Amino acid sequence: MQRTASAHWSGGLKDGKGTVSTQSGVLSQTQYSFSTRFENGVGTNPEELIAAAHAGCFSMALSAQLGNAGMTAESIDTNASLTLDKTDAGFSITAVHLEVKVKIPGADPAKFDEAAQNAKKGCPVSRVLNATITMDAQLIS
């Protein structure tokens, strides 16, 4: 499988504007700029898109790990909080925190914890990020 996305940028860093688009068309010339990335401007930014990708990828990976452990979740809700810090090397994604709530009535907590840890390590987006990835995973019975 291969997926593509594209970006267009015009102007300088602070006064310029850009758009991002995805092969599927879900994003089509979606606005981003300096203000959407480093201030509170309207639009998206690369870090927000990575956080969304990580939340989605992790949720699917957890569903697979739960299935391997003989469990099926009624629901998996994942929020990913990405941290962008200025380091000596420049701006870097330094951390992602996954806040996870999973509803599986009657589940074995130890098997759930193992599945969640395996999903955190095995999710393809987790593996591509050169960042510390943390998680709080809650089982809701």
Side-chain angles (χ1 to χ4, degrees):
M1 178 192 60
Q2 186 175 26
R3 296 284 186 247
T4 62
S6 61
H8 172 79
W9 186 265
S10 297
L13 174 63
K14 290 192 176 182
D15 65 346
K17 293 189 183 323
T19 60
V20 292
S21 300
T22 58
Q23 176 183 352
S24 68
V26 170
L27 297 178
S28 179
Q29 298 185 351
T30 302
Q31 173 195 327
Y32 78 108
S33 66
F34 185 87
S35 70
T36 66
R37 195 166 191 189
F38 299 107
E39 298 166 357
N40 288 320
V42 176
T44 191
N45 61 64
E47 291 74 26
E48 178 181 66
L49 297 172
I50 291 170
H54 201 182
C57 182
F58 172 82
S59 294
M60 290 181 76
L62 179 55
S63 179
Q65 289 295 323
L66 290 170
N68 291 343
M71 296 181 277
T72 301
E74 283 183 17
S75 63
I76 299 172
D77 294 294
T78 305
N79 289 317
S81 297
L82 183 146
T83 302
L84 181 71
D85 284 320
K86 188 168 185 177
T87 66
D88 292 340
F91 282 100
S92 299
I93 295 170
T94 56
V96 176
H97 179 73
L98 301 173
E99 193 72 39
V100 185
K101 294 187 185 209
V102 182
K103 186 171 183 179
I104 313 171
D108 178 329
K111 286 184 179 181
F112 167 77
D113 288 340
E114 182 180 2
Q117 290 301 323
N118 287 341
K120 182 181 77 128
K121 287 183 239 168
C123 158
V125 174
S126 291
R127 292 196 310 255
V128 78
L129 295 173
N130 185 18
T132 301
I133 300 166
T134 58
M135 174 181 63
D136 285 331
Q138 295 179 0
L139 175 61
I140 304 167
S141 299

